[in-house]
Structure formats: structure tokens, C-alpha cells
């Protein structure tokens, strides 16, 4: 039976960041994913936004890792040649009654250590974005966009430079802790494989709680319910009327940030995501119903009255692994469980890693190392 230093379950951006970090310390790291390649799920089905850390409750892991991770991510992209653009974001009130929410967001951002937001009035917004309809707004100059696939390729390449191996089409079956670490059973292309590893990191995204239930000795009470929340995106044909990202004030309870306008690195404008909780028996389904076009049109028209509905085209969808249910009013934080939480040395579970997981990925990887007792 082969003995590994670490097995990382899940080859999304967080799993790859963890693998790159661990591979600098160990020469024998295995990254597995049930899919055919890296980043086929959450990590490639999002807005590719580098968030500033504005919205999240002060003191939460989301706030801490977003603020830390933003700086780390910009520096990493510059160092590794990953395409990135800090083009800035406008959070806008379309009605005077919403302006109090902007004040609250400004205070929240400052409490989180985000001190670069600039309040703007109607005329200033009009000068920046003539096509925008808004009574007031906040400019976040450190919000940007990143080539998420390029980032993941870079993280994988970095891990492989230190000897890590990526195995696609590989499903985690079970793990049992012993005196030397873990005995792990995998299914690789129809063949059952047994391995030993000192460390086991669960970065399985949508399937992280399912993976956790297969780890013998982990208390059921430590595995929370995970809710799948689907978000759809529409592309906008033709030249973009905006040069910044445009976000309406967020929905109550942070269930979503509203149907916002984002640009990719090629200048393509897209709108989304909406928020649609799926039933517990749902399968992965990334289709975008054309019938959603009218709902998107109405939401977007509140801040972009010049929108032409015929230019809205179905694009793609993503599914977020939320720990916050559809009826919950409190914002659910990331869960990062190490030995201090579950009593199993060498195991770290990452649960509910949704937005801002992309922005926070490098900071989360650092936290995993800390949970494992590494400097």
C-alpha cells in the first residue's frame, strides 16, 4: 500500500490552493477529483470577481479571508502572470429609500478593514457610467476580475512543480483514521484503490458534507446540512455600456448580491446570478431556462433602463454550497474543521465554501496549514 503525505479531495480553486501550499512542505501530495479535469464545478461557474470584503459580518471567516485573500490573490496573479483586472465596482441605490443601505454597507466595510470605498452622488455616477440609473452609490476600487481557469492552472502547475499528482475520474469512498494517519479507499475509473496518507483535506465543494459522512469516526453532529443554491447568468450581446462592475444593493440576509453586471477579461458583459434554492434530491443541472429572460430584464432595468431584452442570451449557471437555508435569516459562515473541532489529527474539512471562496482561496489554504499545525 502506497503512503502519501497528503490527499486533497476536490480540484476546485480552493483544493488546488491547498495542494499548492502543502506541496511546498511535502513531496508526496495527491489531488483527486471525480470529474475529468480541474475546476469543473463551482470554481468555473461564477462571476470571476475578486471581492473586496464589504458585505460579510465583522469577525467572520468570510470577512477575514476575503480581505486577506484579495491582497494575496492580486500579488499571486502578478507574480505568476495570471490575467487580472482591478476595474472597480459600483454598488448602487436605484431609489432614495435604498441609500440608507449604502450607509450601512460603508460602515460594514470599514469594520471589516476595507477602507477604500468612496461614496458617490448621482452626478458622479452619471459621469462614470452614463448608462446607469442610480441616486447614489459606493465605488470599490479594489474589486476586480480574474481569469479563474488561468488561476487554477497556475496553482496546479505550482503544486506539480513540487511533486504533487492530480488524478481525475477518482472518487473518494471512505477513510479510517489510524496511528499513522488515514487508510483511504478510492474508486479510480472503476478500480478500487487503497492508500495511506498522513493528512486528509476535504475540499469537495458541493459534495463536502457527503465526503465528511464517509470519514469513520467523525461525529454526525459536526456535519451540517448543505443547501444547493443555483444561480443563472445571461450574456449581453454587443458592446458593453459599462466599464465597471455594477451591483445593486444586496438582497436581505445576503442570500444573494442581486442580479449584477460583470465584465470578463475580454470585455463581455454578463448579468447574474439570481438565487434559486434546489430541492434536496436535485442533481447537478447547469441548464439556463430561456424563460428566465423576462425576470432578468425587469431586475436589470431598475439600474440599466436602456437594456434591450433581445440582446440577453442564456449563458451558464452555477451551484453554490450554502450552509444558510432558504428560510434562515442569519448569514452562515465558512466552516473549517481541524483537530480542535473534531478530534481527528490530520483531518481538515472545508464546508460551505461558496462566495467569496475564489477571492479567499489563498487565505483559506494558509488556514488549512495552521489547522494542521504547520507554520
Amino acid at each position: 500500500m502506497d503512503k502519501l503525505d497528503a490527499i486533497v479531495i476536490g480540484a476546485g480553486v480552493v483544493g488546488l490552493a491547498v495542494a499548492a501550499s502543502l506541496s511546498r512542505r511535502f513531496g508526496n501530495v495527491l489531488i483527486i477529483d471525480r470529474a475529468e479535469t480541474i475546476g469543473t464545478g463551482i470554481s468555473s461557474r461564477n462571476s470571476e470577481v475578486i471581492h473586496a470584503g464589504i458585505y460579510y459580518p465583522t469577525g467572520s471567516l468570510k470577512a477575514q479571508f476575503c480581505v486577506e485573500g484579495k491582497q494575496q490573490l492580486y500579488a499571486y496573479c502578478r507574480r505568476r502572470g495570471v490575467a487580472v483586472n482591478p476595474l472597480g465596482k459600483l454598488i448602487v441605490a436605484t431609489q432614495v429609500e435604498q441609500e440608507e443601505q449604502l450607509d450601512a454597507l460603508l460602515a460594514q466595510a470599514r469594520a471589516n478593514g476595507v477602507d477604500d470605498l468612496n461614496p458617490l452622488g448621482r452626478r458622479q455616477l452619471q459621469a462614470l457610467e452614463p448608462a446607469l440609473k442610480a441616486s447614489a452609490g459606493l465605488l470599490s476600487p479594489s474589486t476586480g476580475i480574474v481569469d479563474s481557469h488561468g488561476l487554477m492552472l497556475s496553482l496546479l502547475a505550482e503544486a506539480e512543480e513540487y511533486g504533487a499528482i492530480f488524478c481525475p475520474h477518482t472518487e473518494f469512498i471512505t477513510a479510517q483514521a489510524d496511528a499513522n494517519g488515514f487508510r483511504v479507499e478510492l474508486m479510480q475509473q472503476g478500480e478500487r484503490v487503497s492508500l495511506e496518507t498522513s493528512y486528509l483535506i476535504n475540499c469537495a465543494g458541493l459534495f463536502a458534507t457527503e465526503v465528511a459522512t464517509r470519514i469513520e469516526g467523525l461525529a454526525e453532529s459536526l456535519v451540517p446540512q448543505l443547501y444547493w443554491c443555483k444561480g443563472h447568468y445571461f450574456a449581453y450581446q454587443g458592446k458593453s455600456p459599462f466599464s465597471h462592475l455594477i451591483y445593486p444593493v444586496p438582497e436581505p440576509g445576503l442570500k444573494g448580491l442581486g442580479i449584477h453586471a460583470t465584465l470578463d477579461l475580454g470585455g463581455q458583459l454578463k448579468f447574474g446570478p439570481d438565487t434559486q434554492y434546489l430541492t434536496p434530491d436535485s442533481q447537478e443541472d447547469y441548464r439556463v431556462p430561456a424563460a428566465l429572460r423576462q425576470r432578468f430584464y425587469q431586475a436589470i432595468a431598475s439600474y440599466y433602463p436602456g437594456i434591450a431584452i433581445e440582446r440577453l442570451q442564456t449563458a451558464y449557471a452555477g451551484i453554490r454550497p450554502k450552509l444558510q437555508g432558504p428560510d434562515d435569516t442569519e448569514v452562515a459562515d465558512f466552516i473549517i474543521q481541524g483537530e480542535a473541532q473534531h478530534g481527528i489529527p490530520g483531518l481538515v474539512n472545508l464546508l460551505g465554501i461558496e462566495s467569496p471562496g475564489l477571492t479567499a482561496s489563498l487565505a483559506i489554504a494558509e488556514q488549512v496549514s495552521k489547522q494542521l499545525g504547520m507554520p
Side-chain angles (χ1 to χ4, degrees), residues 16 20 23 31 38 76 80 150-164 166:
L16 292 169
S23 66
I31 312 157
I38 62 172
Y76 180 90
R80 299 280 299 186
L151 172 62
M152 288 187 285
L153 286 173
S154 177
L155 290 167
L156 177 61
E158 184 179 0
E160 290 178 336
E161 287 168 12
Y162 289 97
F166 170 55

Side-chain angles (χ1 to χ4, degrees), residues 47 49-57 62 66 89-92 98 101 105 143 229 231 233 245-262 271-276 299 302-303 320 322 324 331 354-356 359:
S47 301
V49 172
I50 299 177
H51 292 286
I54 298 167
Y55 304 97
Y56 316 107
K62 287 184 176 181
C66 185
K89 172 174 78 173
L90 293 171
I91 308 170
V92 298
Q98 295 177 330
Q101 290 175 257
L105 282 176
T143 299
C229 184
Y233 292 84
L245 310 179
I246 310 295
Y247 280 55
V249 291
E251 299 172 12
L254 275 186
K255 289 187 171 66
L257 298 181
I259 294 175
H260 46 265
T262 60
F271 294 98
D274 58 352
T275 302
Q276 177 187 333
S302 67
Y303 60 85
R320 290 157 280 183
K322 285 185 172 289
Q324 180 182 354
V331 179
E354 50 152 340
S355 182
T359 306

Side-chain angles (χ1 to χ4, degrees), residues 25 37-38 90 152 181 211-212 218 255 286 288 301:
R25 297 172 168 86
T37 188
I38 62 172
L90 293 171
M152 288 187 285
V211 164
L218 185 68
K255 289 187 171 66
Y286 295 109
V288 181

Side-chain angles (χ1 to χ4, degrees), residues 78-96:
R78 288 193 297 268
R79 186 170 68 251
R80 299 280 299 186
V82 177
V84 68
N85 182 5
L87 74 176
K89 172 174 78 173
L90 293 171
I91 308 170
V92 298
T94 58
Q95 305 169 25
V96 174

Side-chain angles (χ1 to χ4, degrees), residues 93-270:
T94 58
Q95 305 169 25
V96 174
E97 308 87 75
Q98 295 177 330
E99 292 181 18
E100 287 186 4
Q101 290 175 257
L102 293 177
D103 294 336
L105 282 176
L106 180 60
Q108 183 68 57
R110 288 172 175 166
N112 289 351
V114 182
D115 55 8
D116 62 350
L117 294 192
N118 298 312
L120 302 176
R122 185 192 303 271
R123 290 184 179 180
Q124 293 168 301
L125 289 169
Q126 199 70 24
L128 283 177
E129 296 287 2
L132 178 66
K133 174 194 170 186
S135 62
L138 296 172
L139 171 63
S140 172
S142 59
T143 299
I145 51 175
V146 63
D147 175 4
S148 60
H149 191 63
L151 172 62
M152 288 187 285
L153 286 173
S154 177
L155 290 167
L156 177 61
E158 184 179 0
E160 290 178 336
E161 287 168 12
Y162 289 97
I165 296 173
F166 170 55
C167 286
H169 296 294
T170 303
E171 185 172 359
F172 172 82
I173 303 301
T174 187
Q176 182 178 22
D178 59 28
N180 298 314
F182 300 88
R183 179 189 175 106
V184 178
E185 300 288 326
L186 308 175
M187 187 66 71
Q188 186 176 37
Q189 298 183 341
E191 181 180 351
R192 199 174 181 103
V193 179
S194 295
L195 298 171
E196 288 186 351
T197 183
S198 298
Y199 301 103
L200 183 64
I201 318 301
N202 174 10
C203 304
L206 293 176
F207 304 98
T209 52
E210 179 183 332
V211 164
T213 63
R214 299 181 186 180
I215 300 171
E216 296 183 23
L218 185 68
E220 283 185 30
S221 61
L222 293 175
V223 183
Q225 182 172 355
L226 196 67
Y227 302 88
W228 284 13
C229 184
K230 188 175 182 182
H232 305 89
Y233 292 84
F234 278 74
Y236 199 65
Q237 292 183 325
K239 184 179 180 182
S240 171
F242 302 123
S243 58
H244 297 79
L245 310 179
I246 310 295
Y247 280 55
V249 291
E251 299 172 12
L254 275 186
K255 289 187 171 66
L257 298 181
I259 294 175
H260 46 265
T262 60
L263 296 160
D264 65 20
L265 289 160
Q268 170 68 55
L269 176 65
K270 57 183 181 287

